[in-house]
């Protein structure tokens, strides 16, 4: 699979002319200003403007439609490609060998000094404006009205694969055993609904690359990470307007709020 290198320091900012007013306003509503367009429009860089855009925390929280509003931050640079996250996902969610709910993309960076391989974990982005849900003719895939997680109802799935075509992140596969589409659901049925606080991949990650939590809670680590004024975050944007809930940021060491590995409250 071809995938553009995600390194905002080395790729050219292509300007903001391609960012529509509608898209700018969509990010402003959730506390971000768009600062750059990279990789032919596949990436948007964002900075937090939550303190300027909203008069109070209650005004800000009204912009997030789900409680909790689950989100993941990928701290690129910490990933060592150990694939413990992939293994934990497969074991927890009974993913067959030919399938995947999460993967790690690998790219060789020939002009880098020192480490020349870059590892980029990817998964379903659980978009607020999910094109997969609009493409499904039977409503088998849908946004959960409470958590915002993009779910799959296997009983309704007819295997037409329209959602696979609609997904800009290639985050779905056809499960031959159950004859239905399968995808990441943030381990809702296997962990979160049973009281666990982390997805299997975040819990298994030994370096803290994957951080998981509630982006609508100002006290949550995810909110603090994506709304640092001095830190740039970015989202994958193969198709504008999806409002993904998986954020990426550069990191070579732990955040000040967490240990190197995010500890699950058991």
């Amino acid at each position: 699979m071809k995938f553009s290198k995600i390194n905002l320091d080395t790729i050219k900012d292509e300007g903001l002319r391609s960012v529509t007013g509608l898209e700018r306003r969509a990010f402003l509503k959730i506390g971000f200003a768009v600062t750059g367009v990279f990789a032919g429009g596949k990436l948007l860089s964002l900075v937090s403007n939550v303190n300027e855009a909203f008069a109070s925390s209650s005004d800000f929280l009204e912009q997030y439609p789900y409680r909790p509003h689950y989100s993941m931050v990928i701290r690129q640079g910490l990933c060592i490609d150990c694939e413990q996250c992939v293994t934990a996902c497969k074991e927890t969610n009974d993913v067959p060998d030919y399938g995947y709910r999460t993967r790690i993309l690998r790219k060789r960076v020939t002009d880098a000094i020192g480490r020349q391989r870059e590892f980029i974990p990817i998964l379903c982005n659980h978009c607020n404006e999910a094109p997969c849900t609009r493409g499904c003719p039977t409503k088998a895939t849908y946004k959960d009205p409470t958590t915002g997680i993009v779910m799959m109802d296997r009983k309704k799935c007819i295997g037409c694969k329209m959602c696979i075509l609609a997904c800009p992140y290639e985050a779905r596969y056809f499960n031959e055993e159950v004859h239905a589409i399968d995808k990441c659901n943030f381990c809702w049925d296997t962990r979160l609904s049973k009281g666990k606080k982390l997805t299997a991949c975040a819990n298994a990650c030994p370096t803290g690359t994957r951080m998981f939590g509630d982006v609508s809670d100002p006290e949550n680590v995810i909110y603090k990470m994506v709304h640092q004024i001095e830190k740039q975050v970015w989202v994958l944007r193969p198709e504008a307007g999806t409002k993904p809930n998986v954020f990426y940021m550069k990191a070579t060491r732990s955040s000040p709020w967490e240990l190197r590995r995010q500890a699950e409250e058991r």
Side-chain angles (χ1 to χ4, degrees), residues 14-28:
E14 299 170 1
L16 299 174
R17 286 177 295 180
S18 65
V19 181
T20 66
L22 183 63
E23 192 170 16
R24 288 174 189 267
R25 290 192 292 274
F27 280 105
L28 281 173

Side-chain angles (χ1 to χ4, degrees), residues 225-252:
M225 293 181 77
V226 301
H227 287 295
Q228 298 175 75
I229 299 298
E230 70 276 15
K231 288 282 189 179
Q232 201 169 37
V233 299
W234 61 93
V235 294
L236 305 184
R237 184 225 182 195
E239 182 173 294
T242 64
K243 290 194 282 188
N245 285 300
V246 175
F247 298 90
Y248 291 78
M249 64 186 301
K250 295 187 69 174
T252 55

Side-chain angles (χ1 to χ4, degrees), residues 72-84:
M72 183 172 286
V73 173
I74 305 291
R75 297 194 292 172
Q76 195 175 324
L78 294 181
C79 182
I80 57 175
D81 196 31
C82 67
E83 294 200 346
Q84 291 189 43

Side-chain angles (χ1 to χ4, degrees), residues 25-226:
R25 290 192 292 274
F27 280 105
L28 281 173
K29 286 181 179 178
I30 56 175
F32 292 103
V34 180
T35 58
V37 179
F38 301 87
K42 293 183 178 179
L43 295 174
L44 287 181
S45 66
L46 312 170
V47 293
S48 174
N49 71 342
V50 63
N51 292 329
E52 298 177 7
F54 302 102
S56 66
S57 58
S58 59
D59 289 342
F60 166 73
L61 291 177
E62 290 179 359
Q63 309 307 316
Y64 283 90
Y66 307 107
R67 298 289 185 278
H69 195 116
Y70 287 122
S71 180
M72 183 172 286
V73 173
I74 305 291
R75 297 194 292 172
Q76 195 175 324
L78 294 181
C79 182
I80 57 175
D81 196 31
C82 67
E83 294 200 346
Q84 291 189 43
C85 55
V86 176
T87 301
C89 175
K90 284 181 176 286
E91 293 177 351
T92 301
N93 299 299
D94 196 25
V95 178
D97 290 339
Y98 60 82
Y100 59 88
R101 288 191 175 193
T102 184
R103 295 180 292 174
I104 299 175
L105 302 182
R106 304 168 181 84
K107 181 172 181 64
R108 187 172 180 81
V109 187
T110 56
D111 58 345
I113 298 174
R115 177 176 161 178
Q116 294 190 330
R117 280 195 177 276
E118 194 171 52
F119 307 113
I120 308 167
I122 60 170
L123 66 160
C124 172
N125 279 234
H126 297 281
C127 311
N128 283 1
E129 302 294 338
C132 55
T133 62
R134 295 195 296 270
C136 179
T138 65
K139 306 302 181 186
T141 190
Y142 61 96
K143 289 283 286 183
D144 182 87
T146 300
T147 65
I149 295 173
V150 176
M151 298 287 198
M152 272 298 307
D153 184 343
R154 291 178 174 177
K155 294 179 180 178
K156 292 184 177 180
C157 182
I158 57 176
C160 68
K161 302 180 183 178
M162 290 298 293
C163 59
I164 291 180
L165 295 175
C167 175
Y169 304 108
E170 300 186 35
R172 294 166 171 262
Y173 75 97
F174 183 73
N175 188 316
E176 297 174 3
E177 282 69 34
V178 298
H179 198 75
I181 302 301
D182 189 37
K183 62 172 286 298
C184 165
N185 63 359
F186 278 158
C187 293
W188 173 255
D189 54 331
T190 53
R191 291 181 60 85
L192 300 187
S193 65
K194 298 178 179 178
K196 299 291 186 181
K197 301 298 183 182
L198 300 178
T199 61
C201 59
N203 191 50
C205 179
T207 66
T209 298
R210 296 176 185 248
M211 305 295 285
F212 180 77
D214 179 4
V215 74
S216 72
D217 178 3
E219 298 302 315
N220 191 274
V221 65
I222 296 299
Y223 174 92
K224 293 178 178 178
M225 293 181 77
V226 301

